[in-house]
Amino acid sequence: MKRLATTGQKVEVSGIYKCTNCGNEVTCVKGERFPPCSKCYETNFTLVRRTK
Ligand SMILES: [Zn+2]
């Protein structure tokens, strides 16, 4: 299942997320909010894989 996430949204699944613009990967933890991409400042991410 493909999940899309946007900066400012609450993280519902802890995992590695990939910026849809530059491919930079960021780790996000459940309960936090998505940051903007640290490289290109884009605001859209897709879930690559879950972490515990
Ligand atoms: Zn990016």
Side-chain angles (χ1 to χ4, degrees):
M1 186 163 82
K2 193 172 188 179
R3 286 172 181 268
L4 282 169
T6 306
T7 298
Q9 240 181 21
K10 210 169 183 183
V11 179
E12 291 180 7
V13 178
S14 296
I16 309 296
Y17 288 80
K18 194 176 188 177
C19 172
T20 57
N21 185 53
C22 73
N24 182 39
E25 292 185 354
V26 294
T27 304
C28 295
V29 179
K30 187 178 180 180
E32 295 185 349
R33 290 182 188 279
F34 287 100
C37 176
S38 59
K39 287 191 175 171
C40 71
Y41 302 102
E42 260 294 331
T43 57
N44 295 301
F45 298 90
T46 55
L47 179 62
V48 177
R49 61 181 175 276
R50 291 170 178 240
T51 55
K52 285 187 178 177

